[in-house]
Every structure is written in structure tokens, then in C-alpha cells.
Amino acid sequence: MDSQQGGAGELSSSPAHPPSRYESQKRRDWNTFLQYLKNHKPPLTLSRCSGAHVIEFLKYLDQFGKTKVHVTACPYFGHANPRDPCSCPLKQAWGSLDALIGRLRAAYEENGGHRESNPFGTRAVRIYLREVREGQAKARGIPYEKKKRKRATTTAVSAASGTQPPGGAAGDDSSGGTTANVGTVTAAATTNS
């Protein structure tokens, strides 16, 4: 019986769970952005940071990108799978930038920033991300279509009535939802700053 009590005591004194992958990435992204502001010419404080500075940061990150984005003069412009290599630049993929901005928006507010003054949520940043998405879609020949999500009420009503929603079985998520491709967007930026 003493061994069982000792085991329970060990469990309660064990360290807290390590942060999730998302939380770790958010912390790295936040530290990278703060380092970027510190290295900015002239140095910037967070309180003076605007949406324009956020866009400047996103453009800076393009140098660490891994996604081939064809220029309009390239013969592979608009082709998803070119058969030969070309000299078009590598950039950050739109999905990576979008996920990065989401993490930085959350980190800003968690670190005492006010939602109303969040530079990561400005209209200019949203417009920039939309332009990147559309530009990359055209250049790479990959359409970005917004996925339709199933409404919870439709599924709940269908489940209650015993009928299946159109497009698949109840609980089938083949036509809705999104998957986040959370990469290490700023790992190289952190080490090179």
C-alpha cells in the first residue's frame, strides 16, 4: 500500500506538461518578430509597430521561403507541376504566412496588447495576405477555393431525424474543415537575426 501512495505522490509532483507544438511555435514566432523589431533600422518598439511594419516583416521572411513562385515572364507561369527547373524566386507559401499571422495576433494579445491596436489584424495585413494568396494561385496554377463547412445545425438535425446529410455519411468530414500546415516559418529568421 505504501508503494501505491508513493506512486501517487510522484505523479502530483511531476512537472507540468510541455507546451503544445502550437504554443512552442507561437513563442518562437513572437520572439523572432521582437528580434526583427530590435534589428530594424531604426529600431522599433512594439507600441510603434503598424500593419506596414508587419507587411515589411512578411516580405523579409520571403528570403527564407521554399515555395517556387513563377514570375509572369516564366514559361511555367500558371503551371502547377513544371517539367524543368526555372530561376523563379522561392517565397513563403501563403498558407505559412496566414498561419504565422494567426499565431502572432494571438501572441500580441497574450503579451498585453489590445485587440483594437493589434498590428497583425489590420486591414492592410489582410489585404496583403489576400494578394499573396491570389498571386501565388495564378503563378503556380493552383486554385485556392474556400472550402464550405458543414453547418452544425444541419448535422444535428440530420442525426436527430436519422437521415444522412447530402454529400456523405453523418460525421464524414470529406467536404469541410481545413487542415493547418504549421511549419517552421521563422526558424531560419531566428538563427540569422
Side-chain angles (χ1 to χ4, degrees):
M1 189 161 214
D2 289 335
S3 63
Q4 289 177 345
Q5 289 176 345
E10 288 173 14
L11 289 176
S12 63
S13 64
S14 65
H17 294 291
S20 68
R21 182 176 173 190
Y22 171 80
E23 291 296 328
S24 297
Q25 186 66 49
K26 183 169 57 173
R27 186 174 58 245
R28 280 193 302 271
D29 293 339
W30 182 247
N31 290 335
T32 300
F33 184 73
L34 293 178
Q35 187 66 40
Y36 174 80
L37 292 181
K38 183 179 174 184
N39 294 338
H40 191 273
K41 303 292 183 209
L44 281 169
T45 61
L46 190 58
S47 61
R48 300 204 55 191
C49 181
S50 68
H53 296 115
V54 172
I55 292 170
E56 189 179 290
F57 174 66
L58 296 177
K59 289 179 180 179
Y60 158 78
L61 291 178
D62 271 340
Q63 65 185 308
F64 307 109
K66 297 176 184 166
T67 299
K68 178 77 72 170
V69 180
H70 302 290
V71 296
T72 52
C74 178
Y76 300 120
F77 181 83
H79 294 280
N81 299 310
R83 59 180 188 263
D84 294 318
C86 64
S87 61
C88 292
L90 294 173
K91 295 188 174 190
Q92 291 290 343
W94 165 79
S96 297
L97 294 177
D98 189 50
L100 171 67
I101 288 299
R103 291 189 299 267
L104 289 173
R105 281 180 75 170
Y108 178 84
E109 292 175 18
E110 288 171 9
N111 286 284
H114 298 290
R115 178 175 287 186
E116 303 79 34
S117 62
N118 191 330
F120 304 101
T122 62
R123 185 171 188 267
V125 171
R126 289 193 310 270
I127 290 170
Y128 176 76
L129 287 174
R130 186 180 331 125
E131 289 172 353
V132 168
R133 182 187 68 198
E134 291 169 359
Q136 288 187 6
K138 285 179 188 172
R140 300 181 66 224
I142 301 171
Y144 284 109
E145 295 177 6
K146 191 170 186 177
K147 294 183 178 180
K148 294 180 181 178
R149 294 185 181 199
K150 291 182 182 178
R151 291 187 178 168
T153 55
T154 304
T155 305
V157 170
S158 299
S161 66
T163 61
Q164 290 185 351
D172 178 17
D173 195 29
S174 61
S175 65
T178 60
T179 56
N181 182 6
V182 182
T184 54
V185 173
T186 59
T190 304
T191 58
N192 292 336
S193 294

